[in-house]
Structures are given as C-alpha cells and as structure tokens.
Amino acid sequence: MVSAVKIDHVRKTFRNDQERIHVLEDFDLSIKQGEFLTIIGPSGCGKSTLLKLIAGLDLDFEGQIRIGEKFVNGPSKDRGFIFQEHRLFPWLNVEQNISGNLSLKNPNIRSKVDQLLSLVKLKGFEKAYPRQLSGGMSQRVAIARALLRNPEVLLLDEPFGALDAFTRNHLQEALLEIWKENQTTMVLVTHDIDEAVFLSSKVVVMDAKPGRIKGIVSIDLPYPRTRTNKSFQEYRTVILKSLDHHVNELEDWSI
C-alpha cells in the first residue's frame, strides 16, 4: 500500500551571513492513508517548517517527499493547508471565501460549497462577512475552504492555538467529525499535548537543534475520547515525559 505521505531523509538548512542553521536533520516518516497524525515538540524544532515542505511552499531542502506516488515539487490541490490565523478575505462573504476563485454559478461548485457549509455547521451564515464571525467560525470557514478541492492530505499548523479553551475544544470535536466523514489524511502541528491525544491516531514527538524524530506514540484509544479517562491521562504523561530532553531517544513508546 502506498503511503499518503512519505518523507525520505529530508534535511533543511537555513543560511544567514554568519552561520548555517540545521532545522531538520535526516527526517524519515511514513503517514498512512486516512491517518490522523500529530507532530509535537519544542519551539524551534522545525514542526511548521516540515508542514511547509510537505505543502510544497518551500522547495529548498535535501531528500524527497511524496504524496502518494508523486514527488512534491510545489503547491498542489492534493494538499490543503490551514494556518493558525484563518486568513479569510474580509471583502468576501463566507460562501465566497470557501469557493475562492471558483464560480458559485457552477452547479457543481454550488453543491460542494453547500455540502461543506453543512459539514462545518455554518448553514445560515453563507452571506456573513469575516468581521461578523467569531474566531471559531472563521476557522471553520478556513477548514471548508481547504476541503473544497478534495485534498488527499490536510495540513494544519496550530489552527486552534489562538482560540479560547471552550472554542478550541468545540473545534477539535468538529475536526474529528470531518475526519471521520471524509477520511482525509490529517497532519496537525500543535504544542498542546491534550489536543494531540484527543485527536490523533499517532503522535510524532520531535527534538530540536536539529529537528528530528525523538519518538512515535500510537494512541490506541477508541473515539470519542474523554480527557478525564485514566488511559487518556497515561498517554498524556507518556508524551510529556518523551518531551523531556533527559529521556533517551526511542523509536516507539507505548503504555
């Protein structure tokens, strides 16, 4: 079976006048089709940089990245990207922000946008403008926009990091519903351990300077998950300990 995402010996270096900074070093990772994978690690470990490489937004790296059987050589509709800031166009309403440069007069586009509005629970807000939306609603618009072109992989760079705890929890549940319904491969970057355990089938823990995989935690918990559950807290503790720089590097952790 071909992996949804295959990262082989990726190395990323930033250069300035005085030094070369190794952001990612010999990074190898396979992500299965339909998997919900979360990447967690300290600031500066290269999490967001890795997402940009997968998205094709930065091609200055060594190694290879494939989506299915195709090598990444630039942005493509087979990858959707959601940033921490929703980045909606303030002069467009909700349905126009979702459709982007595709015409809502096209019956197929109109139908798809209507389906996505239902999926992200924004029916009734089609004509609203970003200034009239809450932060959580704006991120739901961004998610719908990213899903419009049926991406094989959805890349999420701390999409809920700027939201309050209540809204963040609500959107985590909404994202799980979208994942289950669409079976889109999800790759999420976060600093939030609870978020990683709540959402993921697998958590990749990264180390910094240079960024590399420190360990992988498979989350063997049924959905929906309860944060107060004993097993949930055990996984949380495992990941928290794995982030400790004094813990030896491991390939896989389990409880």
Side-chain angles (χ1 to χ4, degrees):
M1 178 180 178
V2 177
S3 299
V5 182
K6 187 75 169 65
I7 303 169
D8 288 319
H9 302 297
V10 164
R11 191 170 187 252
K12 172 65 180 176
T13 303
F14 287 122
R15 302 171 181 85
N16 59 31
D17 293 337
Q18 296 159 342
E19 62 179 334
R20 292 158 58 92
I21 302 169
H22 299 297
V23 182
L24 296 169
E25 182 69 35
D26 201 28
F27 199 98
D28 291 295
L29 183 64
S30 292
I31 304 172
K32 297 177 182 177
Q33 178 65 44
E35 191 167 42
F36 199 129
L37 183 134
T38 294
I39 302 170
I40 195 167
S43 296
C45 70
K47 303 184 298 295
S48 293
T49 298
L50 180 64
L51 278 198
K52 290 174 182 175
L53 299 185
I54 297 171
L57 299 175
D58 183 351
L59 299 177
D60 183 19
F61 65 92
E62 299 175 40
Q64 295 178 336
I65 301 175
R66 282 177 289 172
I67 306 298
E69 296 181 336
K70 299 177 182 177
F71 289 103
V72 170
N73 56 15
S76 171
K77 66 180 182 180
D78 62 11
R79 281 153 279 150
F81 202 112
I82 300 174
F83 299 88
Q84 183 170 338
E85 308 85 17
H86 54 73
R87 303 193 180 188
L88 302 183
F89 297 112
W91 58 87
L92 300 180
N93 63 30
V94 165
E95 62 183 11
Q96 291 167 338
N97 263 289
I98 293 173
S99 62
N101 62 350
L102 302 177
S103 175
L104 287 165
K105 294 179 180 179
N106 182 318
N108 292 330
I109 301 303
R110 174 79 266 173
S111 175
K112 181 66 174 176
V113 169
D114 287 342
Q115 290 172 20
L116 288 169
L117 283 164
S118 295
L119 186 64
V120 299
K121 296 181 170 57
L122 283 174
K123 292 294 286 184
F125 292 91
E126 297 91 335
K127 306 300 182 183
Y129 286 85
R131 65 179 180 276
Q132 300 171 307
L133 305 177
S134 67
M137 294 170 74
S138 296
Q139 276 297 45
R140 293 210 298 270
V141 176
I143 292 170
R145 180 174 61 187
L147 291 172
L148 180 65
R149 291 171 171 80
N150 297 314
E152 296 177 30
V153 181
L154 189 60
L155 305 166
L156 305 105
D157 191 5
E158 298 192 67
F160 312 138
L163 303 175
D164 63 85
F166 177 82
T167 304
R168 184 166 61 245
N169 289 349
H170 176 74
L171 280 185
Q172 288 168 0
E173 293 172 359
L175 185 62
L176 278 179
E177 290 180 18
I178 292 167
W179 173 60
K180 290 175 185 175
E181 183 161 338
N182 282 25
Q183 290 299 300
T184 304
T185 304
M186 302 273 191
V187 185
L188 169 74
V189 160
T190 185
H191 283 98
D192 188 330
I193 296 174
D194 281 12
E195 182 169 83
V197 178
F198 185 77
L199 293 173
S200 316
S201 46
K202 190 177 291 181
V203 178
V204 173
V205 180
M206 286 185 64
D207 208 353
K209 298 180 181 178
R212 53 165 60 99
I213 295 176
K214 191 175 186 184
I216 298 175
V217 184
S218 296
I219 310 296
D220 188 19
L221 292 175
Y223 295 98
R225 295 171 179 172
T226 305
R227 290 174 170 84
T228 55
N229 180 279
K230 180 182 176 183
S231 296
F232 186 101
Q233 292 301 317
E234 287 174 344
Y235 277 110
R236 187 184 185 282
T237 300
V238 166
I239 295 171
L240 186 60
K241 287 181 177 179
S242 73
L243 288 166
D244 187 337
H245 287 286
H246 297 291
V247 176
N248 292 329
E249 186 174 343
L250 301 171
E251 290 186 357
D252 188 56
W253 281 284
S254 59
I255 64 171

